[in-house]
Amino acid sequence: MGVTSHPADALELQDPHRLIQSHQGQEDYISTNGGLGGSAVPPEHAVSALPTWNQNKANVFKTFSTFSAFIIMGANDAAYGALIPYLEQYYHITYLVVSLVFLSPLVGYVASAALINLVHVHFGQRGVALIGPACHLIAYVVIVLHPPYPLLVLVFILAGFGNGLLDAGWNAHVGNLANANEVLGFLHGFYGLGAVLSPLIATAMITRADLMWYSFYYVMIGAAALELATSVASFWPETGSKYRSTNGTEHSQNKGATRDALEKRVTWVAAIFLLVYVGIEVALGGWIVTFMIRVRNGDPFAAGISATGFWLGITAGRVILGFVTARVGEDLSIVLYLVGAAVCQLLFWLIPSFIGGSIAVAFVGFFLGPLFPAAVVAVTKLLPKHMHVPAIGFAAAFGGCGAAVLPFGVGAIAQRAGVQVLQPVIVAMLVLATSLWAIGMPRIKRGADDDRLGRMTAAGKRAARKVSRRCAAFV
């Protein structure tokens, strides 16, 4: 039975019986796409409804596999800080030399930033799901063999490459789902969960069970094997050809998308902002154990717990404040979070107390938590869809370099001036991040978006009423 369609009322529709939540959490309705048998051309303001994380079993499986991958990534990054004192003792090395464990992943992150779009074009999300966890697994197998220190540094490059691919790929994937602020908050919350568990487990294994530092990586081998299995199983259908088809571009045009994204100010501001942010996060999480032992005279196990508190704060902030960001807006919320983090960091610096410092640094983590997901959502709102993967991929991978550069810089300065330099360095970086976002990033035109969404909602309601009448007549 054919039904005549009306282009003026058409919107992109997947299911005529329900509305889809749009990227800003507003109501989007589906177009009749020709009703029950006709054809129509969507109007100028029609947009495709964003998929939700739970709209089918495949999406649920994909979402939870990205969550598990971020647990491994968080555990990988947070383990460095807990292990630094024991690496120093085992290899008989200085602050400067041990800081190479932070610097070495830089090569891996740079490589992933350059290759992320090519991996998507050639292999799709299947390639990210296979290569990233495989890099983790191979690296951890070598680490448990406790190789000579130069080889250990090289192995961390491989782990950094895996982290960079997964960070870029899964941020781009989740950033294009409906209610992205909230879902990204949970995604990065699982990163924080891994970062909470990692120093706690590593410290307990070393100080309570009298195991060697590399014993912790037996746990990581099992986790990485599970990560590889779940990631490949959930993203296996997402091939390169499907990626090119979904994005409506051919191979050569996808290469051009990377070039176009790198010509946008938004991409570079986001990349540098994330570079500074990730540097703050990993430098503070990485050196806090050493700081609490040698400056605040804490017990090694208690110092490890303070690192756990920092990462627990990050986890809580990502889950809780993600809902606040969605309502306040990325522009204002990011500045407010940075100011809150700077105030708490000053308290950490100025209160010469182990307990007071542990509480203050946990709140620093709480305010730092939502910054990464909020920046990713801002990029998706400021750039067209075909630039999302190359722009977010580049920004996330380039930002990951901060996990190497700033912690290494702290170690290099600490070699001369002592680990207490951590505090002024972190405060300065927080000020830099606030200035960069407030001055460099274009503002998101919320009013314009609301007007557009209002037009879409009105047209959607007309389309929905028409479909309902036709379905009733058909029945």
Side-chain angles (χ1 to χ4, degrees):
M1 178 183 295
V3 180
T4 303
S5 63
H6 298 272
D9 294 332
L11 288 171
E12 298 254 336
L13 213 26
Q14 296 173 354
D15 180 355
H17 299 290
R18 65 184 179 86
L19 58 100
I20 303 294
Q21 293 299 318
S22 76
H23 197 32
Q24 286 81 6
Q26 300 289 336
E27 294 177 334
D28 269 338
Y29 280 80
I30 327 177
S31 89
T32 56
N33 250 352
L36 299 175
S39 61
V41 178
E44 177 184 357
H45 298 295
V47 296
S48 298
L50 293 167
T52 60
W53 72 271
N54 61 347
Q55 72 180 31
N56 52 50
K57 289 183 179 179
N59 274 20
V60 172
F61 195 20
K62 288 176 185 175
T63 301
F64 278 96
S65 71
T66 62
F67 289 171
S68 67
F70 266 60
I71 292 176
I72 309 302
M73 292 163 57
N76 178 86
D77 289 347
Y80 299 148
L83 297 176
I84 275 181
Y86 309 104
L87 289 173
E88 286 182 270
Q89 297 172 11
Y90 185 83
Y91 287 105
H92 306 290
I93 51 180
T94 64
Y95 278 148
L96 181 61
V97 177
V98 79
S99 296
L100 290 173
V101 302
F102 293 116
L103 189 61
S104 59
L106 172 64
V107 179
Y109 274 105
V110 170
S112 66
L115 297 175
I116 181 63
N117 197 52
L118 287 177
V119 170
H120 275 85
V121 169
H122 287 286
F123 309 110
Q125 291 175 321
R126 177 197 290 182
V128 177
L130 178 61
I131 298 171
C135 289
H136 283 161
L137 185 58
I138 295 169
Y140 301 150
V141 168
V142 176
I143 292 172
V144 297
L145 301 176
H146 47 97
Y149 190 72
L151 180 57
L152 183 70
V153 170
L154 292 176
V155 168
F156 282 131
I157 294 176
L158 186 62
F161 181 72
N163 262 29
L165 278 184
L166 292 164
D167 198 11
W170 298 161
N171 269 295
H173 170 69
V174 176
N176 280 292
L177 296 178
N179 303 315
N181 264 306
E182 291 88 340
V183 184
L184 277 169
F186 277 95
L187 177 71
H188 287 267
F190 278 96
Y191 176 96
L193 176 62
V196 166
L197 296 175
S198 175
L200 187 63
I201 294 171
T203 303
M205 291 177 71
I206 296 168
T207 62
R208 295 294 188 258
D210 293 323
L211 297 173
M212 298 300 293
W213 65 268
Y214 50 80
S215 300
F216 168 73
Y217 284 94
Y218 285 106
V219 177
M220 295 298 287
I221 287 174
L226 182 62
E227 174 197 20
L228 178 62
T230 56
S231 297
V232 170
S234 57
F235 285 97
W236 188 258
E238 306 302 322
T239 62
S241 60
K242 184 174 181 180
Y243 170 78
R244 297 191 297 272
S245 174
T246 301
N247 283 269
T249 55
E250 296 301 323
H251 188 154
S252 61
Q253 290 175 302
N254 268 279
K255 292 181 179 178
T258 301
R259 184 174 59 252
D260 291 343
L262 293 179
E263 291 175 352
K264 298 292 186 180
R265 184 179 76 171
V266 170
T267 304
W268 283 100
V269 173
I272 298 171
F273 175 81
L274 292 180
L275 177 79
V276 177
Y277 161 74
V278 174
I280 293 169
E281 178 185 273
V282 178
L284 194 51
W287 284 102
I288 187 175
V289 174
T290 304
F291 177 86
M292 296 300 263
I293 291 173
R294 299 184 182 175
V295 177
R296 297 289 165 86
N297 302 313
D299 174 79
F301 183 75
I305 296 299
S306 68
T308 298
F310 169 72
W311 292 108
L312 187 61
I314 283 183
T315 304
R318 284 173 174 168
V319 173
I320 296 171
L321 294 181
F323 293 91
V324 177
T325 305
R327 287 152 181 78
V328 176
E330 293 75 22
D331 290 336
L332 178 59
S333 61
I334 286 178
V335 173
L336 293 177
Y337 299 152
L338 284 166
V339 171
V343 171
C344 293
Q345 180 62 29
L346 283 171
L347 293 175
F348 180 31
W349 182 7
L350 299 175
I351 298 176
S353 161
F354 184 92
I355 295 176
S358 299
I359 295 172
V361 81
F363 277 98
V364 173
F366 180 76
F367 287 112
L368 289 176
L371 294 178
F372 198 121
V376 170
V377 173
V379 171
T380 66
K381 291 182 178 181
L382 290 167
L383 293 178
K385 183 179 179 181
H386 75 280
M387 293 186 189
H388 286 179
V389 166
I392 295 172
F394 174 79
F398 186 85
C401 297
V405 176
L406 189 56
F408 176 79
V410 170
I413 300 171
Q415 181 66 32
R416 290 180 174 272
V419 74
Q420 61 267 22
V421 300
L422 175 68
Q423 303 290 8
V425 169
I426 297 299
V427 171
M429 291 299 101
L430 286 167
V431 172
L432 175 61
T434 306
S435 303
L436 181 65
W437 186 268
I439 298 171
M441 184 62 78
R443 302 279 72 81
I444 298 171
K445 297 179 180 179
R446 293 173 61 82
D449 288 344
D450 292 342
D451 291 343
R452 177 178 60 81
L453 289 167
R455 290 193 296 269
M456 288 162 47
T457 301
K461 288 178 180 177
R462 290 195 298 271
R465 286 195 296 269
K466 189 168 293 185
V467 169
S468 298
R469 287 196 299 268
R470 289 171 181 171
C471 287
F474 178 76
V475 172

